[in-house]
Amino acid sequence: MTAAMETIQLGLDEVAQRPIDRTELRLLVPATLSTHWLMPLLPQIEQADLGFRLRVHATHTGEDWLSLPHDMAIRRDGFVPPGYRQDLLFQEELAAYANPTLIRGAGREILKDVPLLESRTRPGELDRWLAACDVRETNGTRQSFGHFYTAYQAALTGDGILIASTLVAAEDVRNGRLAVLEPSMRIHGARHILLWRKADEAATPLVALAAWLKQQFHSPPLTAI
């Protein structure tokens, strides 16, 4: 017990001697992207020691994100408010995913037998993927969900096939929770952009965060507007 308390005290003394950086950046991120991509990266951001603390706020389709406190936002709807600049973060690639027990070893013919899942917040993605696969008819039922993350959870639990971003699904594919149907068949999805106020565009912490995020995709910047 004595040794343990001494170790704790040494740790507290070390922390107390470090300079405290109170810079905090507030980043708005779409809920699914936040859960399945950004949150797992937070330890890396901290280790990179970019000179700030990052507070992530998950946003939902239809939410008035401009009214939320923020320094920077990731958006996929293409809307750039007056007084903001934009930088391209990445463009989605979309593929078809389902629980492995549902589609293991199957081809596109399975589309005739299993439910197809879609989100009302992402209209047209399922139909565009089916068209790219030259699938004209499906016998499976369609299930529509109010939010993408709900449809995604349904895919995880084996309720059907969902068109999803390869970025979002990557970790679940690696750990065996999802499998991809027709791996070579992908379509382009939404462009995700970083937005922040032009008045703050030279702020060092924002520049550092934008550069770090874009490094993950090696994306060229869009022209500021």
Side-chain angles (χ1 to χ4, degrees):
M1 179 67 73
T2 299
M5 295 302 295
E6 289 176 349
T7 300
I8 292 173
Q9 187 58 54
L10 286 172
L12 292 173
D13 292 343
E14 181 182 351
V15 171
Q17 292 171 6
R18 292 178 182 174
I20 298 176
D21 183 357
R22 299 190 182 278
T23 301
E24 180 178 80
L25 293 185
R26 301 159 297 179
L27 177 64
L28 305 182
V29 188
T32 302
L33 190 67
S34 172
T35 301
H36 295 279
W37 174 69
L38 184 58
M39 297 303 285
L41 289 179
L42 290 183
Q44 295 182 35
I45 295 177
E46 185 172 338
Q47 290 172 6
D49 193 20
L50 300 177
F52 57 82
R53 294 191 301 272
L54 186 63
R55 178 187 293 181
V56 177
H57 180 101
T59 59
H60 306 275
T61 301
E63 191 171 12
D64 181 16
W65 64 272
L66 275 173
S67 67
L68 300 174
H70 67 279
D71 300 293
M72 182 177 284
I74 298 176
R75 302 296 302 169
R76 67 183 301 276
D77 54 16
F79 169 63
V80 182
Y84 278 70
R85 65 161 289 162
Q86 64 172 337
D87 282 282
L88 177 64
L89 187 56
F90 69 97
Q91 182 169 16
E92 288 180 329
E93 282 195 323
L94 305 176
Y97 296 93
N99 187 289
T101 60
L102 194 64
I103 63 170
R104 193 183 303 278
R108 68 185 66 181
E109 66 277 359
I110 199 174
L111 294 167
K112 298 179 181 179
D113 303 313
V114 301
L116 303 178
L117 312 176
E118 57 186 339
S119 166
R120 290 190 290 275
T121 58
R122 301 192 181 192
E125 291 183 346
L126 174 58
D127 290 319
R128 287 200 299 114
W129 187 88
L130 291 172
C133 287
D134 198 27
V135 175
R136 302 181 185 280
E137 294 184 13
T138 59
N139 298 329
T141 59
R142 288 197 180 199
Q143 297 181 22
S144 181
F145 296 86
H147 290 283
F148 179 78
Y149 51 79
T150 311
Y152 190 86
Q153 188 61 39
L156 286 172
T157 56
D159 290 343
I161 295 172
L162 176 69
I163 306 305
S165 164
T166 55
L167 176 69
V168 167
E171 182 62 26
D172 286 314
V173 171
R174 281 193 293 268
N175 65 30
R177 300 183 69 197
L178 285 178
V180 61
L181 178 70
E182 297 284 331
S184 63
M185 185 52 61
R186 298 180 179 184
I187 61 174
H188 288 309
R191 285 155 52 100
H192 286 65
I193 57 176
L194 290 172
L195 293 170
W196 72 96
R197 299 173 186 87
K198 288 183 179 180
D200 300 330
E201 63 183 344
T204 301
L206 288 174
V207 172
L209 176 59
W212 193 94
L213 290 172
K214 288 188 290 182
Q215 255 184 6
Q216 310 310 305
F217 306 97
H218 306 287
S219 298
L222 292 171
T223 303
I225 63 173

